DNA sequence: GGAAGAAATGTCAGCGCTGTCATCTCGGAG
DNA sequence: CTCCGAGATGACAGCGCTGACATTTCTTCC
């Protein structure tokens, strides 16, 4: 197997230069086992002199473990995921792990393909979003014998560990809050819920609770596509055109809700006097509005952090599938 | 070297089951070389039966190439970077590559450590932000003999390929725009510019151009920390408390500017009548405001896409350091 | 001074895959 | 019939590192 001897400085080169065996150099690099200070110095000098960069592929292959962690998120555009990613990224870097990232665009088949190719890197752990996966995805994750965290949702049985909150319950809580405030003619503006199962679960909770309270949710407008400020703005316009009698509108997401607030502002509508607006997800932006958005918030960054802490830093005994409910809170705000 | 024979199905197992040699199975997996349809089927059946998952570590080690791409960004919280990441992620997944991500928090030493550990994975290419790196970072990237894209900035000489726009020029263009609109008592609200060199460059361009026009930028308020809507809101308050005579305020970033808009709204200030507001970066949110934000926009998602297209998909001849200026545009908006 | 154990280092065989260079098969041209 | 070349497939040696298990130094203490 000939290949042009590239600049590739190997551990062997370093060891030779330092006058030690390869394994000793390896131990110095990894801070493993007892090494005489003098020996360590020799090796480190050789490393500096050669500009050696360790080959993680070879190392991980030999030791059958890597410091890579697979992270699969549904979307780049939905603002909640950068936040989750921030939590994950920070916690990982603290512990010397590195994320390999994939995005599914809410498609289970894409997710399956991603899981397959991420598993190829023998990651130390895997973080994915939600609890719904294809049968094959579950199979692969179960046989991989690595820790798996499923984040955001806890309304089902996880493969290993679920971290998040109940979206169904979140929907119900929103409903109770609005009912308590006296709203009865409730409207809903949502994005594409076929894909976003968690937003759909929140809606279901909302619908159920409102139905039980005798104020069924009949005024709805669904826009296609991903959630965005723009769609929230136009969506509220469309909803009100059809159902001008709404006294409050719930949005599938905070960015949608912010759009709603902007629509109301542009129309000079009195919020919450004439119309209440209620979001979901507690994005920063909503809280910086002139009137802070009434919404439902979960600490997403924390979800990412906990996921990492539990599956990569925790060496504790495996205890079977576990669920961590980080809960959520109603942010009263000033718009509903 | 004994290790419990885990569930690890290897290519050898697949090959044995299919009754072919390992290398043939390998070729089937990689779609390489001529394979009889019948043989391919046998192998694929064996793969399905065993649930084989390829080991990318071994494969990449043997072939000295991986489909990993290192991506280093300064921040998770600054909204600009999720957008860039979206562009990168989409373009990469289209071409079967996977990003390994690191975040520097605007610290060159952290960046150096990240480059070192990302290079360990023998990535096919590396994408980093900005043109300022430590000497050692540059050395490593130069010797790695892989393609390197430095994104966002083009105001300096790149290692291999730079994609972005001139922030200095962007600052000057903002100044010219505001001067043309008749503004003279110009204020500035910014975040931590020691870390964010590009925001600092925009400010420098702004200051230079205003100085040349005889309307020096003396009214400034810098908040510490990263840019955010909240800081923009409080920052504008602080600036106006000290310099109530501003007729327009430039923000270091769009999220800061949106905060400024909210402050003005909450105070019932007439925008742009009493006070103009000008952002930078053209985030979606700014355009969804009741009055679209006047700002300066570059297509960040496109920057990510171009970076990927040029360094991982393009096999063309190396042509030495190159610069791609994606430019920017002044978005007139309705706030300045 | 020597035994005993701790400290430091080394030997060796792979990890699971792929590049290189054969080898083998088979149909058609001469 | 033989020869040739394209089409298929295989043997083999590593990629660069690390785990397991020696082996070789010190120390220490009686």
């Amino acid at each position: 197997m000939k290949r042009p001897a590239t600049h590739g400085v190997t551990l062997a080169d370093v060891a030779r230069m330092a006058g030690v065996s390869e394994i000793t150099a390896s131990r110095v690099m990894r801070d493993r086992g007892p090494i005489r200070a003098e020996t360590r110095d020799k090796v480190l000098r050789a490393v500096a002199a050669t500009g050696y960069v360790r080959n993680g592929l070879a190392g991980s292959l030999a030791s059958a473990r890597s410091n890579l962690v697979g992270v699969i998120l549904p979307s780049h555009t939905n603002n909640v995921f950068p936040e989750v990613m921030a939590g994950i990224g920070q916690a990982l870097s603290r512990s010397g792990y590195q994320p390999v990232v994939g995005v599914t665009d809410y498609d289970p088949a894409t997710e399956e393909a991603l899981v397959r190719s991420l598993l190829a890197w023998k990651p130390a752990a895997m973080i994915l979003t939600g609890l719904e996966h294809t049968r094959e995805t579950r199979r692969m994750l179960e046989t991989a014998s690595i820790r798996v965290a499923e984040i955001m949702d806890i309304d089902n049985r996880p493969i290993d560990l679920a971290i998040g909150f109940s979206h169904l319950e979140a929907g119900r809580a929103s409903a109770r809050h609005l009912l308590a405030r006296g709203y009865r003619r409730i409207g809903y503006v949502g994005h594409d819920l076929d894909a976003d199962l968690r937003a759909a679960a929140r809606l279901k909770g909302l619908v159920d609770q409102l139905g039980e309270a005798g104020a069924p949710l009949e005024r709805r407008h669904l826009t296609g596509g991903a959630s965005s400020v723009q769609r929230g703005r136009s969506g509220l316009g469309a909803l009100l055109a059809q159902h001008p009698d709404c006294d409050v509108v719930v949005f599938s997401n905070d960015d949608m809700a912010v759009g709603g607030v902007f629509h109301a502002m542009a129309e000079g509508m009195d919020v919450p006097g004439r119309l209440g607006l209620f979001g979901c997800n507690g994005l920063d932006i909503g809280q910086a509005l002139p009137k802070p958005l009434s919404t439902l918030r979960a600490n997403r960054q924390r979800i990412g952090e906990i996921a990492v802490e539990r599956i990569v830093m925790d060496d504790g005994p495996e205890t079977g599938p576990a669920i961590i409910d980080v809960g959520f809170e109603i942010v009263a705000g000033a718009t509903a």
Side-chain angles (χ1 to χ4, degrees), chain A residues 187-189 218-223 234-246 263 274:
Chain A
Y188 178 87
V189 172
E218 283 153 351
R219 304 163 183 84
R220 308 186 194 183
H221 178 81
L222 295 186
T223 73
S234 58
L236 179 57
L239 177 74
L240 292 178
Q242 218 184 339
H243 305 286
D245 64 330
C246 290
H263 173 83
R274 150 77 181 83

Side-chain angles (χ1 to χ4, degrees), chain A residues 263-278:
Chain A
H263 173 83
M265 281 178 178
E267 299 281 313
M269 230 174 257
D270 172 23
V271 174
R274 150 77 181 83
L275 181 71
L277 298 172
F278 192 84

Side-chain angles (χ1 to χ4, degrees), chain A residues 189-270:
Chain A
V189 172
H191 59 286
D192 178 7
L193 302 182
D194 290 333
D196 189 339
L197 298 173
R198 284 167 294 284
R202 293 193 295 269
L203 174 57
K204 179 170 182 344
L206 184 73
V207 167
D208 288 355
Q209 183 83 64
L210 289 177
E212 290 165 20
L217 183 70
E218 283 153 351
R219 304 163 183 84
R220 308 186 194 183
H221 178 81
L222 295 186
T223 73
S227 74
S228 73
V229 175
Q230 287 287 12
R231 288 210 173 92
R233 186 171 175 175
S234 58
L236 179 57
L239 177 74
L240 292 178
Q242 218 184 339
H243 305 286
D245 64 330
C246 290
D247 57 7
V248 69
V249 174
V250 178
F251 293 82
S252 55
N253 235 326
D254 255 24
D255 40 7
M256 300 285 286
V258 169
V261 171
F262 291 166
H263 173 83
M265 281 178 178
E267 299 281 313
M269 230 174 257
D270 172 23

